[in-house]
């Protein structure tokens, strides 16, 4: 028997009415050599390079490298391999969960073929509560809770506050530096509910990426708000609120919704045409995920 649950992810942006956002595109490049090369030498050469890039199903493009940064470095000698991420980067989920190389430790397995190998750290916050079905809260449950969330890539810490006055409910807050899949998080929560004989309520912050104008929006301009998520979702929509009023945004003479954005598993974007003051307010993107339990 299987059950289904929905997880809602939210992101919010504000438009204060009156600089359109500029899109920046980042690329990742892997440099291989059968001789030892200094990474700084390669970076210096690329800074002035013009590269011909072939994009599948599209034409080739001449690309000028404006900025370079060393993300990961691997040294492979025979069957021995040693890979490490640069400061500010951490192993991707594929490296962590498939090869057991997580956090900032050096990986002794040959993972150089994986893309992306290392990813930039982000701040993801997990908050929630644990309600025990039997017994009362003590240090044993706190240890089990921490051990459960330690299975997440990029786990940093977990703090338990409480328990509350009834000694059956405790609140917690955990921090990780990598976005996890909702299925991975669901599996951990399900296992914890079994081990603790409890019910967990969990909220996440930092899983959804919102792009919006970073300044005031010009009168009669066409600002675009974009909400992206790295997994396939069942539905996504934009809402606007001002004061006590809230309503959904649909295609019309002013509003244009886009559900297919490049390089994102799930995306919902909204463009406002010739925006005026009546469109100032708070905009929220709602993404719904359907999971099997």
């Amino acid at each position: 028997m299987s059950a289904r649950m929905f997880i809602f992810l939210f992101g919010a942006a504000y438009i204060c009415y009156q600089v359109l956002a500029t899109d920046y595109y980042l690329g990742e490049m892997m440099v291989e050599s059968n001789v030892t090369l200094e990474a700084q030498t390669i970076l210096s050469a690329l800074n002035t390079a013009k590269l011909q890039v072939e994009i599948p199903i599209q034409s080739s493009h001449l690309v000028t490298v404006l900025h370079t940064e060393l993300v990961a470095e691997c040294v492979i000698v025979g069957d021995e391999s040693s890979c490490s991420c640069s400061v500010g980067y951490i192993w991707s989920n594929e490296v962590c969960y498939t090869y057991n190389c997580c956090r900032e430790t050096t990986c002794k397995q040959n993972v150089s073929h994986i893309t992306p190998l290392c990813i930039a750290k982000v701040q993801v916050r997990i908050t929630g509560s644990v309600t025990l079905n039997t017994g009362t809260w003590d240090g044993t449950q706190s240890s089990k809770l921490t051990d459960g969330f330690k299975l997440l890539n990029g786990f940093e810490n977990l703090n338990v506050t409480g328990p509350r006055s009834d000694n059956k409910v405790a609140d917690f807050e955990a921090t990780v530096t990598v976005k996890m899949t909702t299925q991975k998080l669901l599996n951990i929560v399900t296992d914890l509910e079994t081990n603790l004989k409890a019910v967990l309520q969990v909220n996440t912050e930092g899983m959804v990426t919102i792009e919006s104008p970073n300044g005031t929006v010009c009168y009669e301009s066409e600002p675009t708000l974009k909400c992206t998520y790295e997994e396939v979702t069942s539905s996504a929509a934009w809402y606007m609120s001002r004061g006590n009023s809230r309503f959904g945004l649909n295609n019309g003479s002013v509003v244009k919704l886009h559900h297919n954005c490049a390089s994102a598993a799930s995306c919902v974007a909204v463009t406002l045409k010739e925006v005026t003051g009546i469109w100032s307010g708070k905009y929220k993107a709602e993404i719904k995920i359907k999971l099997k339990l």
Side-chain angles (χ1 to χ4, degrees):
M1 179 183 294
S2 65
R4 291 173 178 256
M5 73 174 293
F6 292 94
I7 291 182
F8 292 89
L9 304 168
F10 301 98
Y14 293 87
I15 285 186
C16 58
Y17 164 58
Q18 262 200 53
V19 160
L20 294 178
T22 302
D23 291 329
Y24 295 90
Y25 298 93
L26 301 177
E28 182 174 302
M29 178 184 297
M30 179 182 293
V31 177
E32 297 181 6
S33 176
N34 57 4
V35 297
T36 302
L37 294 174
E38 289 290 336
Q40 193 56 50
T41 302
I42 300 173
L43 294 178
S44 298
L46 289 175
N47 274 332
T48 57
K50 290 184 181 293
L51 307 174
Q52 197 74 25
V53 177
E54 299 289 338
I55 301 177
I57 317 177
Q58 298 182 34
S59 58
S60 62
H61 298 269
L62 185 64
V63 176
T64 300
V65 179
L66 300 178
H67 173 75
T68 58
E69 185 176 0
L70 182 65
V71 174
E73 210 169 355
C74 289
V75 177
I76 303 171
V77 180
D79 295 331
E80 295 186 0
S81 177
S82 177
C83 295
S84 59
C85 297
S86 299
V87 175
Y89 289 85
I90 194 168
W91 298 115
S92 65
N93 284 330
E94 182 178 355
V95 175
C96 176
Y97 299 135
T98 305
Y99 296 90
N100 199 31
C101 293
C102 303
R103 302 176 181 86
E104 287 96 342
T105 57
T106 299
C107 188
K108 296 298 183 180
Q109 300 195 56
N110 188 355
V111 294
S112 60
H113 61 286
I114 296 177
T115 303
L117 183 58
C118 297
I119 56 177
K121 290 183 180 181
V122 295
Q123 195 72 18
V124 177
R125 184 167 167 258
I126 305 170
T127 58
S129 63
V130 182
T131 303
L132 298 177
N133 295 325
T134 59
T136 57
W137 192 271
D138 57 33
T140 303
Q141 285 92 346
S142 295
S143 297
K144 287 182 178 180
L145 189 65
T146 300
D147 290 341
F149 281 102
K150 272 185 178 178
L151 298 177
L152 288 173
N153 184 24
F155 174 85
E156 288 200 327
N157 57 67
L158 183 143
N159 294 319
V160 176
T161 56
R164 300 179 192 174
S165 57
D166 59 2
N167 216 33
K168 287 184 174 293
V169 182
D171 301 303
F172 67 90
E173 178 179 322
T175 303
V176 298
T177 55
V178 179
K179 293 181 180 180
M180 78 292 292
T181 64
T182 48
Q183 189 65 58
K184 181 71 176 179
L185 180 60
L186 177 62
N187 292 342
I188 288 175
V189 169
T190 301
D191 290 342
L192 281 170
E193 288 184 327
T194 301
N195 294 335
L196 293 171
K197 297 181 175 58
V199 175
L200 270 70
Q201 299 289 333
V202 176
N203 298 310
T204 63
E205 296 179 18
M207 296 282 285
V208 175
T209 300
I210 288 282
E211 297 177 39
S212 63
N214 54 10
T216 52
V217 177
C218 296
Y219 181 77
E220 293 191 348
S221 63
E222 296 188 4
T224 296
L225 307 176
K226 185 191 300 182
C227 177
T228 57
Y229 186 58
E230 295 174 358
E231 299 178 50
V232 176
T233 57
S234 57
S235 65
W238 275 98
Y239 297 87
M240 176 191 171
S241 61
R242 186 171 57 242
N244 295 324
S245 301
R246 179 180 185 268
F247 55 89
L249 298 180
N250 297 298
N251 283 318
S253 59
V254 175
V255 177
K256 175 63 176 177
L257 295 174
H258 321 271
H259 289 277
N260 295 316
C261 308
S263 69
S266 295
C267 174
V268 57
V270 58
T271 298
L272 304 177
K273 294 185 176 182
E274 299 182 355
V275 65
T276 61
I278 64 172
W279 291 95
S280 62
K282 180 179 180 180
Y283 290 77
K284 175 182 285 188
E286 179 183 286
I287 293 178
K288 184 166 63 175
I289 301 174
K290 185 185 295 183
L291 296 172
K292 288 186 178 181
L293 298 175

